[in-house]
Amino acid sequence: MSVPAHSKLHYLVHASGPINGLVLFLAPPILKSFALQHGSVQLIWFIFSACIPSFFTNVMYWVDFAWPCGLAWIGLFVWWWTGVDDEYDTLRRKLICGAYLLHGARMGFGALVMIATGTWNWRVADLPRYQFQKIRVEQNGGSWNMLVMQKEILMQCMANSSILFLPCFLCAIDTTSDLSPVEIAGYATWILGWTLESVADGHKLAWSATPKEKRTAAFCNVGLWKYSRHPNYFGEWVAWNGLAIAAVHPMLRFGGEWGYGISGDVGKVGLSYMLLFISLSLYYCLSEWTGAVPAEYFSVQKRKGYDVYMQTTSMIIPWFVSAPGATVGGSGVVKRGRARSKPPKPTTNNNKRQTRTPSKGKKSQKSQARNDTPAYIRTISRTGRTATPSRKKMEALGFSPPPASAKVAGPTPRRSVRKRTINTPA
């Protein structure tokens, strides 16, 4: 089974990477200095928590522990970096650093439990999302080796070091005392997304603890999973949108001298693009790169009825359940496949000759007629010209010939001649 082709969002996200790097390169010294120091911390963390374990175990799921813990590192590092000046001791700094710490710690703790309990066992196999990555690389003519695995791990390290830290940094260095309505809306959106993700994970854990004989399907379709095939990814995406929204006003108030004579307004356009890129890149990651598409590639093969579930339920954004084969709203994607109907009954051709096989224990009409025929008729003449022997042959054999007007019933004449021995009366 071949993997799906990349969407246009894949090429947009990969083409935007150099733009984000250029914005950080031209940024004011305070942002550039923080990005370099924080990037070094993230690199050291990923090397020891993901790269080295992956090298010795030949699996990639270590990055599922390193990445969320890296988010917690963002909150801790920003708190420490801005703590040298009392001017930065604001409610906004506490809110944003606390959000990053709570966001990363929840997922990091969950990954640690999976590893400690053996749910993720490197001796058995890697996670399905990384098995999918291997299939996709090999399908495109590449080779899945340790170098490719290390590159995939460091790409997630680069995400933490380049764009995902930006909302936390912009909010923490904003010394304005009061929160704007946009900031309040951003933090409320983050709370909503974080809650949705936690509730969705709780529904999945409750379903996993249910005995198999009591489950309604081979996959989780209860709670939020009834309206979305991946409601936890939706909550994650909403939470990051909330953090980006909360950083809009601090970004507009961000000052400093940009490099190479670039005005502050042009620089803010670049920062605005980076905040927008957070939403685009997270949706791409959660839907196509390491999220929904890789998981469903195996689910549709292993879980009975999952193909119908894909046709009736939205992939990311929760929506109402639709009929099989219909366009599912919410995600803006037309679901694959059509409604399955019962195949039409085969039509019989009345022009064809239909034969009946006699039932066991009963003789056919032809056999019955053959047995009812007198022995002297069945044994004398099989020439194909007549079924009645001549009177002379009958008299010579000692039989009394029937009257000339009598009709003798007998089998249909055959073309082949068969001779049989006739037992004449004594």
Side-chain angles (χ1 to χ4, degrees):
M1 181 177 178
S2 60
V3 300
H6 288 300
S7 65
K8 295 180 180 179
L9 186 59
H10 164 83
Y11 302 101
L12 176 62
V13 168
H14 282 72
S16 301
I19 300 176
N20 298 326
L22 181 62
V23 172
L24 292 177
F25 177 75
L26 300 174
I30 185 174
L31 175 56
K32 187 184 300 184
S33 174
F34 176 85
L36 290 174
Q37 296 178 44
H38 169 256
S40 301
V41 172
Q42 289 285 343
L43 181 60
I44 294 173
W45 166 249
F46 269 80
I47 288 176
F48 283 97
S49 63
C51 293
I52 294 178
S54 177
F55 178 81
F56 285 103
T57 59
N58 202 33
V59 294
M60 276 190 59
Y61 66 67
W62 300 101
V63 75
D64 281 33
F65 168 71
W67 180 77
C69 291
L71 300 180
W73 275 113
I74 293 176
L76 292 174
F77 189 81
V78 170
W79 180 268
W80 169 82
W81 200 83
T82 57
V84 295
D85 195 341
D86 294 338
E87 184 182 7
Y88 296 131
D89 190 14
T90 60
L91 175 63
R92 184 181 296 103
R93 170 173 169 260
K94 297 175 183 178
L95 288 175
I96 194 67
C97 291
Y100 269 77
L101 182 61
L102 188 61
H103 194 101
R106 189 193 71 85
M107 292 188 293
F109 178 76
L112 184 61
V113 170
M114 293 290 188
I115 296 173
T117 57
T119 305
W120 297 351
N121 191 344
W122 63 270
R123 293 183 178 87
V124 178
D126 207 345
L127 296 183
R129 62 173 67 100
Y130 302 120
Q131 297 180 33
F132 177 87
Q133 294 283 48
K134 177 181 178 181
I135 296 173
R136 178 152 54 189
V137 169
E138 294 177 347
Q139 180 176 297
N140 294 329
S143 176
W144 183 261
N145 49 42
M146 184 55 61
L147 183 62
V148 177
M149 294 171 61
Q150 297 295 328
K151 185 198 76 170
E152 292 285 335
I153 293 174
L154 293 178
M155 285 181 66
Q156 299 196 36
C157 173
M158 185 63 64
N160 284 3
S161 305
S162 59
I163 61 170
L164 297 184
F165 80 90
L166 190 61
C168 189
F169 172 80
L170 292 175
C171 292
I173 65 171
D174 187 2
T175 57
T176 306
S177 58
D178 296 331
L179 297 176
S180 66
V182 175
E183 290 179 273
I184 295 175
Y187 289 117
T189 303
W190 174 82
I191 293 174
L192 174 64
W194 189 85
T195 304
L196 285 173
E197 184 177 11
S198 302
V199 171
D201 288 343
H203 290 167
K204 185 68 173 288
L205 291 175
W207 176 85
S208 300
T210 304
K212 292 185 178 180
E213 59 272 10
K214 294 184 178 181
R215 298 175 183 175
T216 58
F219 48 89
C220 182
N221 60 348
V222 296
L224 293 177
W225 300 81
K226 181 179 179 181
Y227 306 99
S228 171
R229 305 200 301 271
H230 303 280
N232 53 341
Y233 294 160
F234 174 71
E236 177 76 7
W237 182 61
V238 170
W240 279 105
N241 281 313
L243 295 176
I245 293 172
V248 170
H249 274 185
M251 181 269 298
L252 295 176
R253 292 190 289 262
F254 177 68
E257 184 179 352
W258 289 74
Y260 294 90
I262 295 177
S263 64
D265 294 337
V266 175
K268 290 175 182 178
V269 171
L271 293 178
S272 301
Y273 177 79
M274 292 182 68
L275 293 178
L276 177 63
F277 184 75
I278 291 176
S279 179
L280 293 176
S281 61
L282 260 295
Y283 188 84
Y284 161 72
C285 177
L286 295 171
S287 63
E288 185 176 334
W289 185 21
T290 61
V293 172
E296 292 183 344
Y297 175 81
F298 295 100
S299 294
V300 76
Q301 301 179 56
K302 298 179 180 179
R303 303 181 186 276
K304 183 180 179 181
Y306 198 86
D307 54 344
V308 179
Y309 182 58
M310 292 175 64
Q311 297 178 28
T312 59
T313 310
S314 175
M315 182 173 69
I316 298 291
I317 303 176
W319 201 252
F320 300 103
V321 179
S322 303
T327 302
V328 180
S331 62
V333 180
V334 179
K335 299 304 167 201
R336 295 169 288 204
R338 299 180 179 178
R340 296 187 178 183
S341 58
K342 294 183 179 180
K345 294 182 179 180
T347 56
T348 56
N349 189 355
N350 296 328
N351 296 329
K352 292 184 178 181
R353 183 178 178 182
Q354 298 181 359
T355 59
R356 293 183 178 180
T357 303
S359 58
K360 187 176 181 180
K362 295 183 179 180
K363 297 181 179 180
S364 63
Q365 295 180 357
K366 186 174 181 179
S367 301
Q368 190 67 29
R370 182 179 179 86
N371 293 337
D372 295 339
T373 305
Y376 63 88
I377 294 180
R378 288 188 281 112
T379 57
I380 295 178
S381 180
R382 300 291 183 183
T383 61
R385 292 190 299 269
T386 178
T388 305
S390 63
R391 298 177 65 87
K392 291 183 178 180
K393 285 186 177 182
M394 292 175 64
E395 292 176 351
L397 294 173
F399 290 104
S400 299
S405 60
K407 293 184 178 181
V408 181
T412 305
R414 299 182 182 179
R415 295 186 179 275
S416 60
V417 178
R418 296 176 61 186
K419 294 183 179 180
R420 293 185 180 182
T421 304
I422 302 175
N423 295 325
T424 56

